[in-house]
Amino acid sequence: MARFSVVAFLLLLQLQSLLVVVVLAKKPAPIPAAAQKWLTLSGERPMVIARGGFSGLLPDSCDMGYEIAHMSSLPDMVVFCDVQISKDGLGFCLSDIRLDNSTNIANVFPKGHKTYNINGDDVSGWFAVDFLFDDLYNNVSLIQGILTRTSLFDNSFPLKLVDDATKIKLPNRLWLNVQYDMFYKQHNINVKSFIQDTLSAGAASLGYISSPEIGFLKSLNGAVTKDVKLVFRFLAEDAVEPTTKKTYKAILADLAAIKTFAAGILVPKTYIWPVTPDQYLEPHTSLVADAHKLGLEVYAAGFANDMPGSFNYSYDPTAEYLQFIDNNEFAVDGFLTDFPPTASEAIGCFALNNKTNPRIGKTLVISHNGASGVFPPCTDLAYQQAVDDGADIIDCSVQITKDGIAFCADSADLTGSTTAVGTFMSKSTSVPEIQQKNGIFSFDLTWSEIQSLKPLLVSPTGDQGLPRNPANKNAGKLILFSEFLELAKTKAVSGVMINIKNAAILANKGFDISEIVSSALGNATLDKQSTQQILIQSDDTSVLTKFKNVPTYKRVLTIVETISNVTQQSVDEIKKFADAVVVNRPSTVVLAAYFTKEFTDVVKEFQDANLTVYVTTLTNEFTSIAMDFFSDPILEISTYASPLAFGVDGLITDYPATANAYLRSPCADPDAKDLPYTISPPQPGELLSLAEQGALPPAESPAPSLEPADVVDPPLPPVSHVETTNPGASGPSSPGKNSQSANIASTGLCLLSLIYVFMVLY
């Protein structure tokens, strides 16, 4: 036992520094009764029930998981303990009856493998009934039971006794779940007696006991105190309840019978909001309303930030919670979740809020190719969605076609964002100045050819990433730059960000992209107004120089490289060309093993020099979010927007709706008082410090500093006299005055050549 006691002691000492910022920031207070409009059975806010502590981050049912869950969640969070009982009758918390799923027992006791028939199914593994508790405690340690989650904290924690779990302090309550009473009976272990002994020992915190076995719950009637609620747990609809031999679907049809022995029900979330086989929401059932009419509380299970429930939520776990409590028809009475902080923020920050609340703080929401997490990037639908989702600034990366037409697309290479591969593979070429791999480039296709393509909604990490909404895979159409500007004017967004790329390459192909953009802005009468912001973005200082004489434009330099700091000389150079910078996320947060190791001073260094700072690119997919942000895009957004952390001036995001929702919530206000919950930025490196050094990957070299040589670009080459397929194109698709002049000059040279040949021959 000494080995684990020392480890736990050292880790809990580190935990104090990890959680101090949470303690100082939260100051939880109850919501005034007059403000409550919850549709729960009691009229109180829903409960957050932490399954195994913080099992989404740490091994299930470890001490530190319970501690972090407690300190980072609503103050009345309930701790959920799945009870397993050893051969000598000692109960401990672990979510699976097969100990090998969440401990290292298979390595410690390799001969302990058994197969038992449990409720009609043969189950193989290592089971508590075959071991004395001391043998388990002294030799077995916890590991992460879900392979897609971090293993960094494996083998650091012992099993947690139920007796220890009962020592939590009110208002926190303990919830014991007994999943296999009948199995334990077969091994001469009386779970009912164990529960009674636990209560007799003074477990004042015990508030709930659940089980999927009706016989067990009925046996507890009169055997537990009245302040302990009995909850019937539903399993999969086609599973068979062992007492009645009925399916859970059949039992669901008689809720009144459940009311005779239970105060509530715990159901998989799909019992309430079913989803189709391809993961789209169906209409909600009447389960919550029906149960509430009978006086039954309803708790929903199965919530985890890294296990998306439906494409309807756009990988925003907060949106999923709100679907169950903020729908104007019903609210569940609690959530059983692997990520209790996220359930807490949904309840404490977002539910019952006026969605039209004014925005808080200075941070702008800037679309990235429109709402490109929802619809294919740079399409009419993506831009409309960005506007609907509350983007302040919508963006367009301007590309040029072979016939001189300006349109919006993230890259000149159309292979990733359209169906070009299937149609124009013969036009694949190599342009090393743009990218290492071959591509099908916009300047090699006419606009009519590009119009024949379908847009693609793809994962930013490619085929191996989480898929974005398949129903929208080819939705919408690419739009002209002029159409983008007209949309921005019509919808009266706060501004536009126009990204100019590959100016030198386009100049060699006969196009002055800066002039094309400038002419289009003039044609749209956006060059002489100040109502809407015009942000000209480029990674090329020579491009930005071309716009320095238009005082209403804000010039934005893209820092393409990942950097660790900024020298004063670099800042001085940037200020000659730009008013703002765009930096990537890796330049602000240094990671190790997917945990934050350090927050850099890059944002502060730019802001101290009076440069506006925008950070790119935020997404909702948990695979792109550091573990310290709890697989929660809201926590990452909060960290960038909060003056307590980065305080950036703008967030460039694939999902404007998520950023907009946070910035309209009361939790975005650092000066707000008496909030039930506050969202606190993580302390970089603190969680990482809890891992054993041998578990960490080798340290990587720091990113370089931004030097003056990295800032200033050479002058752009002169625009070549290359004849286009559509010389002299005008109107919304005009290639600009310089290109037209070049085309006229080329035509004149051809005529002179013909005259010369005629004179020589005759």
Side-chain angles (χ1 to χ4, degrees):
M1 283 188 161
R3 175 174 66 92
F4 281 122
S5 298
V6 171
V7 170
F9 176 73
L10 292 174
L11 289 172
L12 286 171
L13 282 178
Q14 291 173 308
L15 178 64
Q16 291 178 3
S17 62
L18 167 67
L19 297 176
V20 67
V21 67
V22 181
V23 174
L24 294 174
K26 282 181 64 177
K27 299 179 182 177
I31 304 174
Q36 298 258 5
K37 295 180 182 178
W38 295 106
L39 297 178
T40 55
L41 182 62
S42 67
E44 300 296 322
R45 69 185 177 209
M47 293 191 323
V48 175
I49 309 163
R51 191 186 74 84
F54 202 153
S55 54
L57 179 67
L58 293 150
D60 177 88
S61 301
C62 70
D63 274 330
M64 189 162 293
Y66 284 115
E67 287 291 335
I68 295 179
H70 167 67
M71 299 306 299
S72 60
S73 304
L74 284 166
D76 53 357
M77 179 205 75
V78 175
V79 173
F80 190 89
C81 165
D82 269 294
V83 178
Q84 311 300 335
I85 302 182
S86 64
K87 186 176 183 179
D88 49 345
L90 290 178
F92 58 95
C93 301
L94 206 62
S95 62
D96 199 318
I97 195 169
R98 295 165 295 184
L99 305 187
D100 48 304
N101 276 0
S102 49
T103 75
N104 66 347
I105 192 170
N107 296 327
V108 177
F109 299 111
K111 296 181 180 180
H113 181 272
K114 295 284 184 67
T115 298
Y116 291 113
N117 188 277
I118 302 177
N119 297 337
D121 295 320
D122 287 336
V123 180
S124 296
W126 280 254
F127 299 87
V129 295
D130 297 318
F131 298 90
L132 298 174
F133 183 75
D134 277 356
D135 291 336
L136 293 174
Y137 189 88
N138 289 329
N139 298 285
V140 173
S141 55
L142 299 171
I143 63 173
Q144 178 56 258
I146 297 176
L147 295 179
T148 55
R149 294 175 177 172
T150 180
S151 60
L152 200 62
F153 306 109
D154 285 3
N155 304 309
S156 298
F157 305 98
L159 300 175
K160 185 178 183 68
L161 280 166
V162 171
D163 284 348
D164 292 335
T166 62
K167 293 181 174 61
I168 61 174
K169 297 180 180 179
L170 298 174
N172 294 121
R173 303 297 297 273
L174 177 64
W175 181 315
L176 297 181
N177 181 63
V178 177
Q179 198 82 351
Y180 300 103
D181 172 65
M182 193 169 290
F183 170 75
Y184 284 113
K185 277 183 180 176
Q186 294 167 358
H187 292 269
N188 300 315
I189 294 174
N190 191 323
V191 182
K192 175 184 173 181
S193 296
F194 170 78
I195 295 291
Q196 290 176 309
D197 291 345
T198 301
L199 285 168
S200 298
S205 63
L206 180 56
Y208 303 85
I209 299 172
S210 62
S211 178
E213 298 186 8
I214 290 175
F216 175 68
L217 289 178
K218 286 184 174 180
S219 74
L220 293 180
N221 274 291
V224 297
T225 56
K226 291 183 179 180
D227 56 346
V228 177
K229 293 183 179 181
L230 301 181
V231 179
F232 179 56
R233 184 174 193 176
F234 281 82
L235 304 182
E237 288 187 341
D238 58 351
V240 176
E241 193 278 323
T243 306
T244 64
K245 307 302 181 184
K246 294 180 180 179
T247 65
Y248 287 95
K249 182 177 182 180
I251 295 171
L252 186 66
D254 191 5
L255 291 175
I258 297 173
K259 178 60 178 172
T260 63
F261 62 85
I265 56 176
L266 174 62
V267 300
K269 61 187 179 183
T270 52
Y271 273 46
I272 300 168
W273 281 100
V275 296
T276 63
D278 50 356
Q279 298 302 298
Y280 292 97
L281 283 180
E282 294 182 331
H284 66 76
T285 67
S286 62
L287 174 59
V288 177
D290 294 342
H292 281 177
K293 286 177 184 177
L294 295 169
L296 282 168
E297 294 177 324
V298 181
Y299 304 97
F303 292 87
N305 296 2
D306 53 2
M307 296 179 185
S310 169
F311 288 114
N312 297 79
Y313 303 128
S314 296
Y315 293 106
D316 179 1
T318 303
E320 181 175 21
Y321 288 110
L322 293 177
Q323 192 80 7
F324 287 78
I325 59 174
D326 197 14
N327 55 48
N328 297 320
E329 294 186 50
F330 65 84
V332 298
D333 300 283
F335 298 107
L336 179 60
T337 175
D338 292 8
F339 290 83
T342 309
S344 297
E345 76 185 16
I347 296 167
C349 298
F350 294 96
L352 306 187
N353 283 336
N354 186 341
K355 305 304 185 290
T356 60
N357 284 343
R359 287 269 287 277
I360 297 169
K362 66 176 183 177
T363 305
L364 296 173
V365 177
I366 305 170
S367 73
H368 178 242
N369 303 319
S372 55
V374 181
F375 287 105
C378 300
T379 57
D380 55 342
L381 296 181
Y383 287 123
Q384 182 60 58
Q385 190 69 46
V387 173
D388 294 343
D389 289 346
D392 300 293
I393 308 290
I394 58 174
D395 70 305
C396 171
S397 291
V398 181
Q399 309 300 337
I400 305 298
T401 67
K402 185 177 181 179
D403 46 347
I405 308 299
F407 71 104
C408 300
D410 182 56
S411 171
D413 178 13
L414 302 178
T415 58
S417 59
T418 72
T419 55
V421 170
T423 308
F424 296 110
M425 196 61 193
S426 61
K427 296 195 176 186
S428 175
T429 57
S430 174
V431 184
E433 299 90 341
I434 296 178
Q435 61 191 33
Q436 296 300 312
K437 63 179 182 179
N438 283 11
I440 302 171
F441 296 95
S442 63
F443 42 73
D444 292 327
L445 300 175
T446 65
W447 175 239
S448 63
E449 288 175 324
I450 291 173
Q451 284 180 299
S452 71
L453 303 174
K454 293 180 180 180
L456 287 177
L457 177 60
V458 296
S459 168
T461 54
D463 294 338
Q464 302 304 313
L466 294 171
R468 290 180 169 174
N469 192 344
N472 294 339
K473 181 179 180 180
N474 300 120
K477 65 182 182 68
L478 296 175
I479 64 173
L480 297 170
F481 179 44
S482 58
E483 293 173 327
F484 166 82
L485 295 176
E486 185 59 32
L487 173 71
K489 288 180 61 178
T490 303
K491 300 298 181 181
V493 294
S494 298
V496 293
M497 178 177 278
I498 301 162
N499 193 4
I500 299 176
K501 304 177 181 180
N502 309 318
I505 294 170
L506 290 169
N508 290 329
K509 292 183 176 295
F511 302 113
D512 186 339
I513 188 171
S514 300
E515 179 59 29
I516 292 171
V517 168
S518 181
S519 296
L521 287 167
N523 292 337
T525 67
L526 289 170
D527 55 339
K528 295 182 175 62
Q529 55 82 49
S530 57
T531 304
Q532 292 177 294
Q533 293 187 66
I534 307 299
L535 281 63
I536 305 296
Q537 176 190 0
S538 183
D539 60 353
D540 192 325
T541 53
S542 294
V543 169
L544 297 179
T545 300
K546 292 199 169 190
F547 293 89
K548 68 178 181 180
N549 294 325
V550 186
T552 56
Y553 294 171
K554 188 170 189 174
R555 294 177 294 163
V556 183
L557 179 65
T558 304
I559 309 298
V560 177
E561 302 83 4
T562 295
I563 58 176
S564 59
N565 60 78
V566 184
T567 65
Q568 183 59 49
Q569 295 88 344
S570 300
V571 169
D572 293 340
E573 287 297 327
I574 290 171
K575 294 182 74 172
K576 296 176 183 178
F577 304 99
D579 314 293
V581 293
V582 169
V583 297
N584 57 36
R585 291 155 66 215
S587 293
T588 63
V589 179
V590 180
L591 300 181
Y594 300 101
F595 284 85
T596 62
K597 181 179 179 181
E598 176 188 355
F599 288 173
T600 72
D601 290 327
V602 167
V603 172
K604 182 179 184 299
E605 289 165 347
F606 280 130
Q607 289 180 334
D608 286 349
N610 294 320
L611 285 166
T612 300
V613 180
Y614 308 122
V615 66
T616 194
T617 304
L618 276 69
T619 69
N620 285 0
E621 286 86 352
F622 68 88
T623 51
S624 71
I625 298 173
M627 296 288 185
D628 309 58
F629 297 127
F630 305 156
S631 301
D632 179 6
I634 291 292
L635 183 52
E636 183 178 36
I637 289 167
S638 170
T639 302
Y640 278 114
S642 171
L644 300 175
F646 288 107
V648 299
D649 301 284
L651 301 169
I652 301 175
T653 173
D654 289 357
Y655 295 93
T658 307
N660 183 50
Y662 167 73
L663 292 170
R664 292 186 188 278
S665 78
C667 292
D669 184 358
D671 300 319
K673 305 296 182 183
D674 297 329
L675 293 177
Y677 184 76
T678 59
I679 302 173
S680 303
Q683 295 299 296
E686 291 288 1
L687 278 175
L688 204 59
S689 69
L690 305 181
E692 296 182 9
Q693 287 302 309
L696 296 175
E700 296 183 3
S701 300
S705 300
L706 184 68
E707 301 293 344
D710 303 319
V711 174
V712 182
D713 294 289
L716 294 173
V719 177
S720 299
H721 295 166
V722 178
E723 186 172 356
T724 68
T725 305
N726 184 24
S730 59
S733 56
S734 171
K737 291 183 289 185
N738 284 4
S739 295
Q740 293 177 21
S741 299
N743 293 330
I744 293 169
S746 297
T747 304
L749 286 171
C750 290
L751 289 173
L752 287 172
S753 299
L754 289 172
I755 293 170
Y756 176 79
V757 171
F758 179 83
M759 292 176 65
V760 170
L761 292 175
Y762 296 96

